[in-house]
Amino acid sequence: MTLFEASGLTRAYRLPRTSLFGPAGVRHAVHNVDLSLPDGHSLGIVGESGSGKSTLVRLLLGLEHPDAGTVRYRGRQVRPGRPRDLRWLRREVQVVLQDPIGSLNPRMPVGAIVAEPLECLGIDGNDNS
Ligand SMILES: Nc1ncnc2c1ncn2[C@@H]1O[C@H](COP(=O)(O)OP(=O)(O)OP(=O)(O)O)[C@@H](O)[C@H]1O
Ligand SMILES: [Mg+2]
């Protein structure tokens, strides 16, 4: 079974204008990427800073719309949209961020930090099953 399958993934960002009448530049972060990750395998994506690694991961997770291409997880298409429409993916695929401590909100009580992902996934805290 293939976990992730991407085909023709492309994402460009518009850059801020540098002159009043000149055209806005475009940064091609990810261009025409195909990848296949079979169950039980690992895939390392290596590249210099700014080469598009994080953009590729955001596209795989449906956190961004590709300009072109498709992503499938276990054969099901990942379509960015409302968070609730991607719950099926969020239940199985999680990100471990480079700086996880930096992504915690120091003002949030521990209980709220633990409860938030459960609420987002629609897991009822009173359900003992
Ligand atoms: N939201 C955005 N708006 C505009 N440009 C962006 C945006 N996100 C990424 N970029 C640009 O796209 C390119 C790829 O960025 P990305 O963050 O994917 O690279 P990276 O390989 O993850 O880099 P690093 O190793 O530093 O984390 C960079 O030139 C970056 O400036
Ligand atoms: Mg990155």
Side-chain angles (χ1 to χ4, degrees), residues 20-124:
L20 192 55
F21 301 109
V26 173
R27 167 84 21 93
H28 295 277
V30 170
H31 183 68
N32 207 14
V33 170
D34 298 330
L35 67 82
S36 177
L37 177 60
D39 209 344
H41 286 67
S42 305
L43 175 68
I45 302 167
V46 181
E48 65 186 52
S49 181
S51 59
K53 305 179 296 293
S54 295
T55 304
L56 178 58
V57 168
R58 288 199 301 272
L59 291 169
L60 291 175
L61 295 176
L63 293 170
E64 283 211 32
H65 280 276
D67 297 327
T70 53
V71 175
R72 289 180 179 279
Y73 177 77
R74 292 190 187 277
R76 186 168 171 185
Q77 189 163 352
V78 175
R79 295 175 197 275
R82 290 177 306 173
R84 62 182 313 141
D85 294 338
L86 280 176
R87 265 188 193 167
W88 62 273
L89 180 67
R90 300 281 174 261
R91 281 177 185 271
E92 296 206 12
V93 182
Q94 303 288 320
V95 182
V96 180
L97 297 166
Q98 280 167 312
D99 177 14
I101 299 293
S103 44
L104 293 176
N105 180 348
R107 288 172 184 268
M108 264 171 99
V110 172
I113 291 175
V114 173
E116 189 176 78
L118 300 177
E119 283 163 12
C120 290
L121 292 174
I123 298 169
D124 184 346

